[in-house]
Amino acid sequence: MGFRGVLPPRETGGARAVPKPRDAEEQLHPVPAEVHEVFSHTLQLLSGQQLLEAHAELMMMEHLRDDILSQLHLRGLSSAQATVLSYFGGLQELNESLAKQLWDIVGSSLRLVREDPVLFVTAVRIIEREEKIDDTLLLEATFLPPGRPKGWRQKFYHVLQETITGAHFHGAHMDTEGSGLARHLAALQKDIVSELRVVKDLMVQCVPAHYNILSVCTVTYHQALISHLQDILREDLDKQALFLLLEWALRVYHSPEMMGHPDLLPEVDVSALGPLMSPELVDQTERKYVVKVKASVLEWMQRTLEVEFKEWFREEEPETDHQGFFQSALPVIVMQMLNENIRVASLITDSLQQKVYNMALEELEAFLGRLREALVQCGKEHQKDRTIPKYYVSYLLAMLNNNLALSSSVSFLHPDTAHREVPMSLRAALDRMQKKACQLLLEELLLDLQPLCLQLPSRKWLSGSQLISSMCEVIDKYAKDFSRVRKPVFMLLLTESELLVTSQYLRALMQKKMVCKSEEERGQLCDRLLQDATQLRELFCGLGLDQSQQSLEAVFALRELICLKDPALLSLEVLGFITKYPDVSDEHISTLLDLRGDVSKEVRHMVLEMMAQHPQVLPERYRPIFSTILVPAPELPFCLRKGKCA
């Protein structure tokens, strides 16, 4: 009889209803033409997007095929199954055609739920019908028909997820420069919020509750973003791009501007999904960012250094602050740059802020080293021609004030008062910088003092005070210059200047240029020493250096050795002298005895023997005076001339 008896009469505009076959024998002689007629009609329905009707006919034909195959299976007529399958071969084409339309609809779901939700709902209804058939067959059927289970609900999720990721994350090559990346992230932010709002407000109403469609979409966006950010981070990004990614992943993503948007809460909750960037990836990205910032800071500091030393050669003094202290823009530029980078890092995480802070201190320390090297080089060039730079001393004083400004500012780099400990290495770098600038200034003072010191001791010096008055004029001139530096360093320079003057004065006395020929000449020497030491002491007291802080007392003490009337008492006098000045040597004392001009060999031997019996140890806070003074070697007692000794 065939399929003719089991096919229902054609229904206009709808699907056909097919009763169950009356006899198994009839199922072995179907009429292919009737089957093909149904297939053709179903295809027409599909082409007209009459999906529910088309699906009804598809289910009808599948049910008929599966019923026949089931009966053949029960009767053990497996050989006839191939014939049945050939009659229903068009079902695969129908399935593929319907599926294609369904997935096209699902792929356009975000648009359709706004414009034509009926079409999307129709697709979901068909998917759910198929899902129920799958579940029933898996539970009840003795065998699974061809193409089962279809798993269309799972395919629905897959297509939806692929649509989301394809639309935003699988596009053409993206511009990873700062501005291009900023536009890309801003577009992602806007689109994701907009699309999740559509899902929450519209799509959830078009699908069964058990689809958890909002959760599925949220997870899809989240996982896709994790992968997308990792892909971007594989590129060689500049510091701006790295900062944007960190800010976006750690701040923007969870903010009310994105996943915490009021329109999405409370249904959308990404807190349980984990971070977009793992702690390890955040740390790695922060380190990359710090490397880029470090390179930028290094370049900027080098440029600042070059500009600073160009200004040294101007035909005018450095600028001054409102109190008249010399200064330049260097500390302000450096600290603003470091502060800004630390502040920007604090907008992301505490860990990034700490990394940038540590980098800033390291770079500041390195900068101070380069600044010191530049000072040394400038000092060498200045020694070749002391007229260049014209205002060399003034710029050194400005550098000292700059160093003080850096030293006082560095503790405020970290906004958290608990983390403002300045590393010892940085303190040492600041100290080295200060010492080098002070050293160069004292060298300038020394160069101006040396011509005067070369004139003493001499008989001309003994007879007048002009030489020491000239020295005082030089010292006073430098002290006026030093007053343009802030007080802590001014007092340091004043103290070191006084020590330098004392040392140079003592060194000049010990150059063996003069020996007193008489008691009267020793008296003149004692008077000159007293007048010189007193004049110098009064000068430094007037400049603000307390007498207790001066080293000129050594000149007064040395004078006592010269003025002693009885040479036999020198051992006792020298013992008191070396106790007070433990860095004095045998050579120093021997030279002073020579200067007296009346010390016998026996007395000299007795004095030196006494010194050997009373070795001195330098106290902890003792400021050396004599250890820096070299005494000329004694003349050899035999002749080294080429000719015969006369």
Side-chain angles (χ1 to χ4, degrees):
M1 177 179 172
F3 281 164
R4 190 180 301 275
V6 299
L7 291 176
R10 179 170 297 175
E11 298 178 4
T12 304
R16 303 162 185 266
V18 180
K20 296 178 71 174
R22 293 184 299 250
D23 189 279
E25 288 297 323
E26 293 179 347
Q27 299 173 51
L28 301 178
H29 306 285
V31 180
E34 293 290 346
V35 174
H36 293 157
E37 183 182 348
V38 177
F39 287 167
S40 178
H41 182 250
T42 305
L43 284 172
Q44 290 177 11
L45 293 173
L46 287 174
S47 62
Q49 281 200 329
Q50 294 177 269
L51 301 184
L52 286 175
E53 294 85 346
H55 185 240
E57 290 201 355
L58 176 64
M59 287 193 299
M60 173 190 73
M61 297 303 293
E62 284 183 338
H63 180 72
L64 177 60
R65 179 201 63 188
D66 298 345
D67 198 24
I68 294 171
L69 289 174
S70 177
Q71 292 191 43
L72 292 174
H73 176 74
L74 290 173
R75 294 188 177 191
L77 300 174
S78 301
S79 58
Q81 290 182 2
T83 304
V84 175
L85 290 174
S86 67
Y87 290 151
F88 291 91
L91 282 176
Q92 183 176 352
E93 181 186 354
L94 290 176
N95 264 298
E96 291 174 354
S97 179
L98 175 59
K100 183 179 183 306
Q101 291 202 43
L102 291 179
W103 309 141
D104 286 346
I105 291 169
V106 174
S108 304
S109 56
L110 288 168
R111 176 180 59 82
L112 288 174
V113 294
R114 287 175 292 183
E115 299 175 3
D116 186 10
V118 173
L119 191 58
F120 177 69
V121 170
T122 296
V124 172
R125 288 180 62 186
I126 292 170
I127 290 167
E128 281 303 289
R129 284 178 180 176
E130 290 294 342
E131 198 69 17
K132 288 179 181 177
I133 294 171
D134 280 349
D135 292 344
T136 301
L137 288 172
L138 288 171
L139 287 173
E140 300 176 3
T142 55
F143 83 107
L144 282 177
R148 291 291 179 183
K150 292 183 180 180
W152 279 7
R153 186 192 292 163
Q154 197 60 38
K155 179 68 174 176
F156 168 90
Y157 291 134
H158 177 74
V159 171
L160 184 61
Q161 290 165 343
E162 283 295 307
T163 300
I164 289 173
T165 56
H168 301 294
F169 308 108
H170 295 161
H173 178 73
M174 185 193 63
D175 179 11
T176 55
E177 292 296 323
S179 57
L181 182 60
R183 288 192 297 271
H184 174 69
L185 294 176
L188 278 179
Q189 177 183 343
K190 178 183 176 183
D191 292 347
I192 290 172
V193 171
S194 175
E195 290 171 9
L196 280 176
R197 191 188 287 122
V198 170
V199 174
K200 173 179 173 287
D201 296 339
L202 300 175
M203 190 179 285
V204 292
Q205 301 176 34
C206 301
V207 298
H210 62 264
Y211 269 48
N212 291 320
I213 196 69
L214 182 57
S215 176
V216 168
C217 289
T218 301
V219 171
T220 300
Y221 284 117
H222 188 81
Q223 294 300 326
L225 281 172
I226 289 175
S227 178
H228 187 54
L229 294 184
Q230 290 173 350
D231 289 341
I232 296 174
L233 284 168
R234 291 188 183 97
E235 303 286 336
D236 183 19
L237 304 176
D238 61 22
K239 67 171 184 176
Q240 184 182 358
L242 290 166
F243 178 84
L244 283 170
L245 280 178
L246 286 168
E247 181 186 38
W248 200 84
L250 302 178
R251 296 294 181 194
V252 175
Y253 183 68
H254 296 277
S255 73
E257 283 73 42
M258 194 170 177
M259 303 308 275
H261 196 284
D263 290 350
L264 301 180
L265 297 177
E267 289 83 356
V268 172
D269 182 11
V270 293
S271 61
L273 300 180
L276 279 183
M277 296 172 67
S278 67
E280 295 76 17
L281 184 57
V282 169
D283 181 68
Q284 179 185 340
T285 306
E286 287 180 349
R287 291 181 187 281
K288 285 183 180 178
Y289 174 75
V290 172
V291 169
K292 299 289 184 179
V293 172
K294 180 177 180 178
S296 176
V297 166
L298 177 59
E299 180 183 354
W300 189 264
M301 282 186 163
Q302 187 58 36
R303 195 179 305 126
T304 303
L305 189 60
E306 291 168 2
V307 171
E308 177 72 15
F309 279 94
K310 276 184 182 178
E311 292 194 352
W312 279 49
F313 294 89
R314 296 188 305 172
E315 288 295 312
E316 56 186 54
E317 287 187 321
E319 63 181 73
T320 59
D321 64 10
H322 67 285
Q323 294 177 299
F325 296 121
F326 289 130
Q327 64 176 13
S328 75
L330 182 142
V332 174
I333 293 171
V334 169
M335 296 310 294
Q336 278 184 348
M337 175 175 49
L338 298 180
N339 264 314
E340 181 62 16
N341 279 293
I342 294 169
R343 185 195 66 79
V344 168
S346 70
L347 301 175
I348 305 301
T349 62
D350 290 342
S351 65
L352 181 60
Q353 181 189 53
Q354 190 63 39
K355 287 184 179 77
V356 173
Y357 173 74
N358 293 339
M359 178 276 296
L361 295 187
E362 291 170 5
E363 284 308 298
L364 180 56
E365 184 178 332
F367 174 74
L368 288 168
R370 293 193 298 275
L371 188 59
R372 183 176 176 276
E373 290 171 6
L375 274 182
V376 171
Q377 188 59 39
C378 190
K380 289 179 180 178
E381 294 298 319
H382 180 69
Q383 295 304 315
K384 297 175 184 177
D385 184 353
R386 292 187 68 199
T387 64
I388 302 174
K390 182 178 180 180
Y391 295 102
Y392 177 70
V393 169
S394 299
Y395 279 97
L396 282 174
L397 294 169
M399 193 60 70
L400 282 168
N401 283 324
N402 290 344
N403 198 66
L404 283 174
L406 288 172
S407 181
S408 61
S409 300
V410 69
S411 61
F412 295 98
L413 276 175
H414 204 297
D416 187 352
T417 54
H419 295 83
R420 287 182 175 173
E421 184 69 26
V422 180
M424 290 300 296
S425 59
L426 179 54
R427 291 188 182 279
L430 288 163
D431 188 53
R432 286 193 297 270
M433 176 65 201
Q434 177 175 289
K435 284 181 177 177
K436 176 52 65 177
C438 287
Q439 178 192 334
L440 293 174
L441 284 166
L442 293 172
E443 286 176 0
E444 283 295 287
L445 171 61
L446 178 60
L447 287 172
D448 286 342
L449 286 175
Q450 277 179 335
L452 299 172
C453 291
L454 288 173
Q455 299 178 43
L456 64 92
S458 65
R459 283 170 175 79
K460 180 182 178 181
W461 163 68
L462 283 178
S463 61
S465 61
Q466 183 57 43
L467 188 60
I468 202 66
S469 295
S470 297
M471 290 180 65
C472 287
E473 288 176 6
V474 172
I475 296 166
D476 190 56
K477 171 185 172 296
Y478 273 89
K480 283 185 172 65
D481 289 336
F482 295 166
S483 67
R484 307 297 290 276
V485 72
R486 293 188 176 277
K487 191 168 184 179
V489 180
F490 170 74
M491 292 307 299
L492 173 64
L493 284 170
L494 200 58
T495 302
E496 293 299 321
S497 297
E498 190 271 343
L499 180 60
L500 175 67
V501 169
T502 302
S503 175
Q504 290 301 307
Y505 191 90
L506 293 172
R507 179 179 282 108
L509 291 176
M510 294 186 183
Q511 295 309 303
K512 299 187 177 181
K513 293 181 181 180
M514 181 181 137
V515 175
C516 293
K517 295 180 179 180
S518 64
E519 185 175 344
E520 180 184 355
E521 204 165 64
R522 274 194 303 278
Q524 282 184 304
L525 176 59
C526 289
D527 289 344
R528 175 51 49 208
L529 290 174
L530 178 61
Q531 290 176 29
D532 287 357
T534 301
Q535 190 172 348
L536 288 169
R537 183 169 64 186
E538 288 175 353
L539 171 66
F540 281 105
C541 284
L543 292 173
L545 187 64
D546 191 81
Q547 185 174 323
S548 62
Q549 297 175 284
Q550 297 181 20
S551 54
L552 282 164
E553 185 61 34
V555 179
F556 288 98
L558 179 147
R559 175 182 172 277
E560 294 301 319
L561 291 179
I562 303 296
C563 294
L564 187 66
K565 299 289 186 182
D566 185 358
L569 299 176
L570 276 171
S571 291
L572 184 61
E573 193 70 32
V574 168
L575 179 59
F577 188 84
I578 65 173
T579 302
K580 192 170 184 179
Y581 302 102
D583 62 328
V584 75
S585 67
D586 293 2
E587 290 80 7
H588 293 131
I589 295 299
S590 185
T591 301
L592 292 175
L593 297 180
D594 288 341
L595 184 59
R596 279 183 60 97
D598 67 340
V599 179
S600 65
K601 290 183 179 179
E602 291 77 12
V603 171
R604 182 189 302 273
H605 178 75
M606 184 172 58
V607 169
L608 296 178
E609 184 67 25
M610 179 275 301
M611 290 181 68
Q613 293 173 5
H614 295 84
Q616 302 297 311
V617 178
L618 295 181
E620 186 176 345
R621 295 185 177 274
Y622 177 75
R623 293 183 67 201
I625 298 175
F626 291 92
S627 58
T628 60
I629 300 174
L630 297 178
V631 177
E635 293 184 8
L636 297 176
F638 49 86
C639 183
L640 291 178
R641 296 173 186 171
K642 292 182 180 178
K644 293 183 179 180
C645 293

